[in-house]
Amino acid sequence: MKNIISFLLLALFSMSSIHAHISFNNLDDILEIKKRTLLVVLKNENPKTLKKLSDNPEELNNYKNLISLYNQSIRDAFKLE
């Protein structure tokens, strides 16, 4: 009985969560949003992480490459139209 109640509560919360992500907008609103400038925040290298990884050049290089690749991926993704 306890399992059934738990399952029903979980199902109820899941359904309400799914419903919250559905929205219906009119075409004018969508076209207005498409005209706006989109600001995207890129990642910066964390000075504390750089200091921590300064003893290990390979890990430091991997960290810097990861940040660079992430930023380039974001730029590329938002340049597509």
Side-chain angles (χ1 to χ4, degrees):
M1 183 67 174
K2 196 175 193 181
N3 289 339
I4 294 173
I5 293 173
S6 298
F7 176 74
L8 291 175
L9 286 174
L10 181 63
L12 176 68
F13 289 129
S14 297
M15 290 299 183
S16 65
S17 175
I18 290 170
H19 180 67
H21 295 282
I22 298 173
S23 64
F24 299 102
N25 296 318
N26 63 28
L27 183 60
D28 294 333
D29 290 341
I30 294 170
L31 293 175
E32 186 64 33
I33 290 171
K34 289 179 77 172
K35 293 179 188 175
R36 294 181 183 176
T37 302
L38 176 66
L39 299 177
V40 178
V41 178
L42 301 176
K43 287 188 176 184
N44 289 329
E45 296 172 352
N46 186 340
K48 290 181 181 180
T49 305
L50 291 174
K51 185 176 180 182
K52 180 180 172 183
L53 296 175
S54 64
D55 295 336
N56 190 342
E58 184 178 335
E59 288 293 322
L60 180 62
N61 192 29
N62 288 342
Y63 173 72
K64 287 182 176 184
N65 285 336
L66 180 69
I67 298 292
S68 176
L69 287 173
Y70 173 82
N71 288 339
Q72 190 60 46
S73 302
I74 294 294
R75 284 188 194 102
D76 292 344
F78 286 100
K79 283 183 184 176
L80 299 176
E81 294 183 22

